[in-house]
Amino acid sequence: MTTPAPVVPDTHPPVSDTRSWYRRNEIRVTPWLFLAPGLLFFAVYVIFPIFQSFNISLYRWDGLGEATYIGLDNYRELATDRAFETSFWNNIRWLVLYLLAIPLGLGIALFLNQTVTGIRLYKSLFFFPFVISQVVVGLVFSWFYLPQVGLLNVVLGWFGTSLNILGDPDLATYGIIAAGLWPQTAYCMILYLTGLNAVDPEQVEAARLDGAKGWRMLWYVIIPQLKPATFIAFVVTIIGALRSFDLISIMTNGGPFGSTRVLSFYMFEKALAEFGFRMGYGAAIAVVLFLIMLVFIAYFLWSMYRDEKVAR
């Protein structure tokens, strides 16, 4: 009788145990490695300053000396500050009227989405406002609104009237908004031109066979397919309206009599202007502006999440 050979235990661990943790999680980890630099910069230059602004808003501080904790006193002062109230309502005007850029951009995009002679020239002319800086836009419209020699008043002079747009507290804000609508409409136009290139021609042809044309074609067939472009246009336009600063600084510097201030400009005046240096008060204004933006940002994120959930 032969003795069976002794069983030699396998000293080699399973192949899965020899693989490194990274190799086993490569698919999940690799995207985060690519995102890490961007997330780091976002945290340092966006997230941290947000919390820092909340903290500074609880202090009385000139930016150089020692900060004094005052709790919510800056926010209580905001509640009775007439200049803050004016800035807040001007921001609401910007927000409402700036949305006109969306239908205007759609209308121009529909006009330019044709194959006619000279259409490239028309596209270039409508695209031009988007590529020039806001400072140049402000200077151009400041010259346009000049009381006597500006183009607007030259034309109005033919009818025996004139307007001092930027010198009238009741009109100045609307004049600046009109200047801002010029490049913003061009941006929305670009978004819609891109969206129109993705419209399904089969759906358009099917709608024509069913007798749809004109406004019915636009409302029931074209616009639903432009929903992604409309979403981006809303996001960019609302954020642009709430953070408006450069046009006001160039065209009126907050005047006349502070009537064209918005929250971002008033924050600058209180925190960094020559007679300001109230960093805590400026931070409180920044917090209010951030909370207003946060409402819209939360809505947009919720809309994106809902659409993604429905798509699945």
Side-chain angles (χ1 to χ4, degrees):
M1 182 174 181
T2 59
T3 303
V7 178
V8 179
D10 186 5
T11 58
H12 299 284
V15 176
S16 59
D17 291 342
T18 61
R19 299 174 61 188
S20 67
W21 179 88
Y22 173 75
R23 293 297 299 273
R24 286 185 282 114
N25 299 274
E26 184 175 2
I27 295 177
R28 286 183 297 177
V29 172
T30 301
W32 289 105
L33 291 178
F34 282 103
L35 289 172
L39 292 174
L40 178 62
F41 276 96
F42 184 76
V44 172
Y45 293 106
V46 178
I47 302 299
F48 176 71
I50 289 174
F51 288 100
Q52 194 175 36
S53 295
F54 275 97
N55 181 56
I56 294 174
S57 69
L58 303 177
Y59 289 83
R60 181 186 294 113
W61 185 43
D62 62 3
L64 297 174
E66 185 177 352
T68 304
Y69 180 79
I70 58 174
L72 299 176
D73 285 356
N74 285 324
Y75 295 97
R76 295 190 186 98
E77 185 178 346
L78 284 178
T80 58
D81 189 345
R82 293 295 302 274
F84 172 79
E85 181 182 351
T86 300
S87 303
F88 175 81
W89 287 112
N90 279 339
N91 257 123
I92 299 300
R93 293 186 183 95
W94 271 85
L95 185 61
V96 173
L97 295 178
Y98 223 50
L99 291 176
L100 291 174
I102 297 174
L104 290 173
L106 175 60
I108 296 173
L110 291 171
F111 167 72
L112 295 177
N113 192 44
Q114 305 178 63
T115 54
V116 296
T117 304
I119 196 65
R120 290 186 177 180
L121 175 62
Y122 300 146
K123 286 183 178 180
S124 300
L125 291 175
F126 281 109
F127 179 73
F128 172 72
F130 177 67
V131 299
I132 60 178
S133 91
Q134 292 282 310
V135 175
V136 175
V137 172
L139 291 174
V140 168
F141 273 83
S142 295
W143 299 331
F144 179 71
Y145 291 143
L146 284 175
Q148 295 180 350
V149 297
L151 181 59
L152 175 63
N153 281 290
V154 170
V155 174
L156 291 177
W158 300 342
F159 302 95
T161 185
S162 64
L163 287 173
N164 185 5
I165 300 289
L166 300 182
D168 188 337
D170 296 327
L171 297 177
T173 294
Y174 300 104
I176 300 173
I177 294 173
L181 280 173
W182 190 40
Q184 189 64 29
T185 299
Y187 181 76
C188 293
M189 175 204 72
I190 296 167
L191 292 175
Y192 280 120
L193 277 175
T194 305
L196 287 170
N197 291 330
V199 168
D200 187 357
E202 294 183 358
Q203 291 190 27
V204 175
E205 189 61 31
R208 284 176 179 166
L209 293 175
D210 289 338
K213 59 182 179 180
W215 288 106
R216 294 182 63 188
M217 173 73 77
L218 177 64
W219 185 258
Y220 292 105
V221 180
I222 303 298
I223 290 181
Q225 297 186 66
L226 295 176
K227 188 177 180 180
T230 302
F231 178 81
I232 297 174
F234 264 104
V235 172
V236 174
T237 301
I238 287 175
I239 292 177
L242 291 174
R243 57 190 291 270
S244 53
F245 175 88
D246 36 15
L247 286 177
I248 296 165
S249 179
I250 292 297
M251 297 179 70
T252 63
N253 199 32
F257 312 114
S259 61
T260 59
R261 289 189 185 107
V262 292
L263 292 177
S264 59
F265 189 83
Y266 189 47
M267 173 187 66
F268 165 77
E269 280 190 326
K270 284 296 182 181
L272 299 170
E274 183 178 358
F275 302 105
F277 296 106
R278 296 187 61 188
M279 294 295 178
Y281 197 68
I285 299 172
V287 168
V288 173
L289 182 59
F290 170 74
L291 292 177
I292 296 173
M293 285 189 178
L294 191 62
V295 173
F296 293 98
I297 292 171
Y299 170 74
F300 292 138
L301 292 176
W302 176 79
S303 298
M304 292 175 62
Y305 171 76
R306 182 189 59 189
D307 293 341
E308 288 289 335
K309 193 174 181 180
V310 171
R312 291 176 186 174

